[in-house]
Amino acid sequence: MERIICLVIGYVFGLFQTAYIYGKLHGIDIRDYGSGNAGTTNTMRVLGTKAGLLVLLCDIVKCILAIVVAGMIFGKSRPDMLYLLKIYAAMGAILGHNFPFYLHFRGGKGIAATAGMILAFHPYLIPMGLIMFFGAFFTTHYVSLGSLLVYAGFFIELVVLGQMGTFGMSQPLLIEMYVLAGILTVMAFYKHRENIKRLLSGTERKTYLTHKNKENGDKNG
């Protein structure tokens, strides 16, 4: 029952579609522009850097809040499975973000929400996540590549830390957590399948934080 409650809590938080709401406030449905994705990168490209950063922040926070609420409810009663319940809440938030029922299940790709999961899950996961994403982004300017590396790194590090006893859970609970993390990783790669094809073919669009850099990137292909 705790698992279901945490999943539902997360899904409700995930339904706050920042990119869609921001776009509507500016008279557009963000999903009708650019990549058609209701997320940070598409918002940044369509509505500008400030808009993209606002969407990023809100999408990170909603996953953090889901995890915090789950921890407040079950932290004392089920300390033996707290981290498992955290990942259920995070999964719910990512599913709510990616598949909002009131938008006909057309949302984002869940990367910003995943950043929230990493930030709120355990401090040991944060440095590697930052290095993986920003290292890839500032080197290549491919948001998709950084996002996929973060997910792969998160899954591997989660298993390593789990087997080292960092989360203080029994092996069956750890395996369940690994399975959930694996599902999230596979879903992220599936949601980025077109990006992966473009990365392999060298046609993936680069993202820049300034208008000047964006123009240079467009000119250089």
Side-chain angles (χ1 to χ4, degrees):
M1 180 59 71
E2 296 95 340
R3 295 167 173 82
I4 295 175
I5 292 174
C6 289
L7 198 63
V8 171
I9 289 171
Y11 189 82
V12 170
F13 274 100
L15 291 177
F16 186 83
Q17 288 290 318
T18 317
Y20 176 79
I21 294 170
Y22 190 93
K24 282 297 183 181
L25 290 174
H26 288 77
I28 67 169
D29 184 337
I30 193 67
R31 301 171 302 164
D32 293 335
Y33 295 83
S35 66
N37 182 56
T40 298
T41 304
N42 196 39
T43 302
M44 186 176 295
R45 289 171 177 166
V46 175
L47 296 172
T49 299
K50 290 182 179 179
L53 293 177
L54 176 63
V55 169
L56 172 66
L57 177 63
C58 291
D59 286 347
I60 288 174
V61 169
K62 69 186 181 187
C63 190
I64 292 176
L65 290 176
I67 292 174
V68 169
V69 170
M72 290 174 62
I73 295 174
F74 297 110
K76 292 184 178 180
S77 61
R78 296 308 307 265
D80 58 315
M81 59 187 300
L82 178 59
Y83 286 99
L84 177 62
L85 296 179
K86 282 185 176 184
I87 206 167
Y88 268 106
M91 174 177 272
I94 293 168
L95 289 173
H97 176 80
N98 291 357
F99 309 106
F101 72 90
Y102 66 97
L103 295 179
H104 306 290
F105 303 100
R106 286 182 57 210
K109 295 181 180 179
I111 299 304
T114 298
M117 173 178 69
I118 293 172
L119 289 171
F121 194 82
H122 195 285
Y124 285 178
L125 296 169
I126 298 174
M128 183 59 69
L130 293 174
I131 292 170
M132 297 289 276
F133 180 80
F134 288 107
F137 176 72
F138 286 120
T139 301
T140 67
H141 292 285
Y142 292 136
V143 173
S144 56
L145 178 61
S147 301
L148 294 172
L149 287 175
V150 167
Y151 249 114
F154 167 73
F155 178 74
I156 293 170
E157 193 173 10
L158 189 75
V159 173
V160 171
L161 291 175
Q163 294 308 116
M164 290 174 59
T166 302
F167 305 121
M169 295 195 302
S170 65
Q171 193 62 32
L173 292 178
L174 285 173
I175 291 174
E176 184 178 352
M177 184 172 68
Y178 302 156
V179 169
L180 294 179
I183 292 172
L184 288 174
T185 303
V186 170
M187 183 171 66
F189 274 74
Y190 177 76
K191 294 283 284 185
H192 284 80
R193 61 193 182 280
E194 296 301 324
N195 302 86
I196 294 172
K197 291 178 182 178
R198 291 193 294 270
L199 284 169
L200 293 174
S201 65
T203 59
E204 177 72 329
R205 182 177 175 181
K206 294 184 178 182
T207 299
Y208 298 86
L209 297 179
T210 67
H211 185 65
K212 179 179 179 180
N213 285 340
K214 177 182 181 298
E215 288 179 343
N216 291 336
D218 290 342
K219 290 177 182 178
N220 293 332

